Amino acid sequence: MVEAEIESFLPLQKILKQWSDRKKWVEEPLFISYLFVYINQNEYYKVLDVIGVVKYITFERKAAPIPEQQILAIKQFLNNEEDQMISSESFKIGDQVEIFRGTLKGLLGNLVDIRGKQKVRIEIESIGQSIILTIPKSYLKVIKGS
């Protein structure tokens, strides 16, 4: 296989997986089936020739560019140390929530899982596909309950 030499970014998050006999921390993509590439117009088809690539995310039949600022925000979010603030807000599965702190500030989502005392998983509708993030409760506020 020939190396394509295309600059890419695959954001990974650490998740504690449970097997029948043990728990283990593993890294999984933050956005399932998404790989971000930094290309110029001449490299558009070069990416599509890479084994495993299916298509670009498109809007109005054009590849959707992601601003560098948003990629930097994702990188900063992934590199951020665990927040030690405690949330006193009460959350229920199904709540619509807003991220009001951190690099993902302003995103809206739905609470899909409560992970321990201070972490939750939220589903965010983004670029045409739902993504699920594990985030500290202290970053969230409820917009409306279920």
Side-chain angles (χ1 to χ4, degrees):
M1 186 168 111
V2 177
E3 289 288 324
E5 296 183 13
I6 298 167
E7 186 179 342
S8 63
F9 171 55
L10 177 63
L12 298 171
Q13 64 180 338
K14 288 186 180 188
I15 297 183
L16 187 60
K17 289 281 192 167
Q18 174 73 54
W19 281 267
S20 60
D21 62 337
R22 70 189 189 292
K23 290 182 181 181
K24 184 176 181 181
W25 286 97
V26 296
E27 286 187 324
E28 290 187 350
L30 182 61
F31 308 106
I32 303 299
S33 300
Y34 279 37
L35 176 69
F36 298 95
V37 293
Y38 183 78
I39 60 169
N40 61 43
Q41 197 66 19
N42 297 333
E43 296 171 307
Y44 182 89
Y45 292 104
K46 185 177 180 181
V47 171
L48 294 173
D49 288 337
V50 173
I51 294 172
V53 171
V54 176
K55 64 179 181 175
Y56 286 98
I57 300 301
T58 59
F59 292 108
E60 298 177 2
R61 298 184 182 195
K62 294 183 181 176
I66 308 298
E68 187 173 345
Q69 181 179 356
Q70 289 182 7
I71 298 296
L72 291 173
I74 293 168
K75 288 179 179 180
Q76 186 177 357
F77 171 75
L78 293 172
N79 290 328
N80 204 5
E81 292 296 319
E82 175 121 5
D83 195 315
Q84 298 301 318
M85 286 187 64
I86 303 298
S87 174
S88 60
E89 187 156 8
S90 177
F91 295 98
K92 298 184 312 275
I93 292 175
D95 283 347
Q96 185 176 12
V97 295
E98 178 181 357
I99 301 173
F100 72 94
R101 295 186 59 216
T103 55
L104 300 177
K105 181 179 179 179
L107 289 179
L108 302 176
N110 293 311
L111 185 67
V112 294
D113 191 16
I114 297 174
R115 300 242 159 156
K117 293 182 180 178
Q118 293 304 320
K119 288 234 176 187
V120 296
R121 291 181 75 203
I122 61 172
E123 180 181 43
I124 297 173
E125 187 68 30
S126 177
I127 49 179
Q129 179 176 327
S130 293
I131 59 171
I132 296 181
L133 301 173
T134 301
I135 191 164
K137 284 183 182 178
S138 62
Y139 280 39
L140 301 175
K141 64 181 176 183
V142 175
I143 297 191
K144 65 180 179 183
S146 56

